[in-house]
Amino acid sequence: MPDVRSICAIGLRGQMGLNGSLPWEGNTDPEFTADVARFFDITRGHVLIAGEKTIGAIPDFARNDRTLFVIRRDMQPEKVLAQFPDRVVFIGGGPVAWGAYAPFIRHWDINRLPYDGEADRWFDPQWLTAGGPG
């Protein structure tokens, strides 16, 4: 079984998404650009598992120094993770992915950003205590 982790950013009240994007998308303030750079630094050399939209948003410069794997709703997390034994695997892509993979995530890396605006997707604290498989 791989070492399964998650890395995400949330707003001040747990905001995660708005209309299918990050609510702070395009914000060039230092805290936001540092968060993006940190994401690419931490996931470098590892596996990033996420939905098609998230994987599709990975820029060209970051595609060769990490393993990218697109997940779909009908895939069983155990079978997906079994493809990456002895690797560090990051689960990305938002609430659907984290809801499915939460029981397998050993380490949550959550960066709280100074965003306090609108959202339609929120971090669910129950993911942190989701029971492990079997």
Side-chain angles (χ1 to χ4, degrees):
M1 183 70 136
D3 177 359
V4 184
R5 304 175 184 194
S6 183
I7 181 169
C8 65
I10 62 173
L12 295 173
R13 293 178 290 121
Q15 303 98 313
M16 295 187 76
L18 180 62
N19 301 320
S21 296
L22 296 172
W24 47 84
E25 190 77 36
N27 189 318
T28 58
D29 289 349
E31 300 93 332
F32 297 93
T33 57
D35 178 67
V36 173
R38 185 173 176 276
F39 172 86
F40 288 121
D41 185 50
I42 288 174
T43 60
R44 183 180 301 116
H46 301 299
V47 178
L48 176 60
I49 291 176
E52 188 171 4
K53 185 171 182 176
T54 299
I55 296 296
I58 301 295
D60 289 342
F61 79 84
R63 291 188 166 270
N64 295 326
D65 58 4
R66 70 203 79 232
T67 301
L68 302 174
F69 186 86
V70 174
I71 54 172
R72 303 204 186 317
R73 291 176 195 259
D74 63 344
M75 294 177 166
Q76 294 179 338
E78 297 91 343
K79 289 184 178 181
V80 170
L81 295 171
Q83 297 177 60
F84 304 102
D86 305 319
R87 296 281 310 269
V88 173
V89 174
F90 285 91
I91 308 300
V96 173
W98 291 317
Y101 285 81
F104 304 94
I105 297 173
R106 181 189 67 79
H107 177 85
W108 288 87
D109 185 313
I110 304 166
N111 189 18
R112 194 167 184 195
L113 293 171
Y115 175 84
D116 202 23
E118 268 189 273
D120 57 18
R121 298 284 185 268
W122 302 82
F123 186 84
D124 185 347
Q126 291 184 345
W127 295 330
L128 301 174
T129 58

